Amino acid sequence: MPMIETSAAMLILWAIIGYLSGSVPSGMILARVMGLGNLREIGSGNIGATNVLRTGSKKAAALTLLLDGLKGAVPVLLARALAGEDAAQLAGLAAFLGHCFPVWLGFRGGKGVATFLGLMLALAWPIGLLACATWLATAALMRISSLSALVAAVSVPVWMLVLGHWSLLVLGILLAALILWRHSANIARIRAGTEPKIGAK
């Protein structure tokens, strides 16, 4: 963890900003605007890019991926510039929680993978790039989005150790654990061999 140098009031402020940024339901908004229907009634019912892809719109899925990543990256970069590293990490964690538990959707959100990758790119771009590469390599081999997310999440603390990003390690382990928890149903389907492939409706 970084040294706590920012005041408690400012940390709370950046946590709120991060949460509100993360809680914007990008996928649902895009699906509505682009006439793709209600994501809750499509595929897994999730609000992330993988489920948006099940609408058949690669453009909407790509935009969702980008916007969900920015929801994590922007508050981290702003908090770092205006407060400090402690505020940046807290804003990133709050953005992730906002995506997973958005107040606007009754705290029923997505699984946080794109937001996780976005905030990691903002906190330490080499770690973020390695996590993205891990996701892409696993997806290319296995064609299962959830498995790719799980492998990428678990790889992040390892990359932090390898590259010496000690101050990020606690956050990396916490986020990886949260992603594993959010994917508990997917893990069960992977073990049963019933998890859908990327692009399957």
Side-chain angles (χ1 to χ4, degrees):
M1 293 181 65
M3 292 184 62
I4 305 300
E5 299 178 339
T6 305
S7 68
M10 288 300 295
L11 287 175
I12 291 171
L13 174 62
W14 282 109
I16 293 171
I17 291 171
Y19 176 82
L20 292 176
S21 172
S23 67
V24 176
S26 311
M28 291 195 74
I29 293 172
L30 285 170
R32 290 287 190 183
V33 170
M34 300 175 71
L36 302 174
N38 183 356
L39 284 183
R40 293 299 193 197
E41 300 172 355
I42 297 170
S44 65
N46 201 352
I47 65 171
T50 299
N51 202 43
V52 174
L53 185 60
R54 295 188 179 107
T55 67
S57 175
K58 293 181 180 179
K59 179 180 179 181
L63 285 173
T64 300
L65 183 66
L66 175 63
L67 291 175
D68 281 353
L70 287 173
K71 292 191 312 187
V74 170
V76 165
L77 294 174
L78 288 175
R80 176 180 282 157
L82 299 175
E85 191 64 25
D86 52 351
Q89 288 199 32
L90 182 59
L93 174 61
F96 178 85
L97 294 174
H99 178 82
C100 294
F101 309 104
V103 63
W104 327 112
L105 300 179
F107 303 102
R108 293 173 54 245
K111 296 177 181 176
V113 178
T115 303
F116 167 72
L117 294 174
L119 71 89
M120 278 299 156
L121 283 166
L123 283 170
W125 64 264
I127 301 294
L129 286 179
L130 285 167
C132 290
T134 302
W135 191 100
L136 288 170
T138 308
L141 288 171
M142 306 302 296
R143 304 296 299 169
I144 300 176
S145 178
S146 59
L147 180 60
S148 304
L150 292 166
V151 175
V154 171
S155 77
V156 161
V158 176
W159 295 128
M160 289 175 176
L161 287 171
V162 170
L163 298 183
H165 287 270
W166 304 102
S167 67
L168 292 172
L169 188 58
V170 172
L171 179 64
I173 292 172
L174 176 59
L175 290 173
L178 287 169
I179 287 179
L180 288 171
W181 172 57
R182 294 290 290 171
H183 284 78
S184 57
N186 302 85
I187 292 171
R189 288 193 295 270
I190 290 169
R191 294 178 65 182
T194 59
E195 182 73 343
K197 300 284 187 177
I198 293 174
K201 295 187 178 181

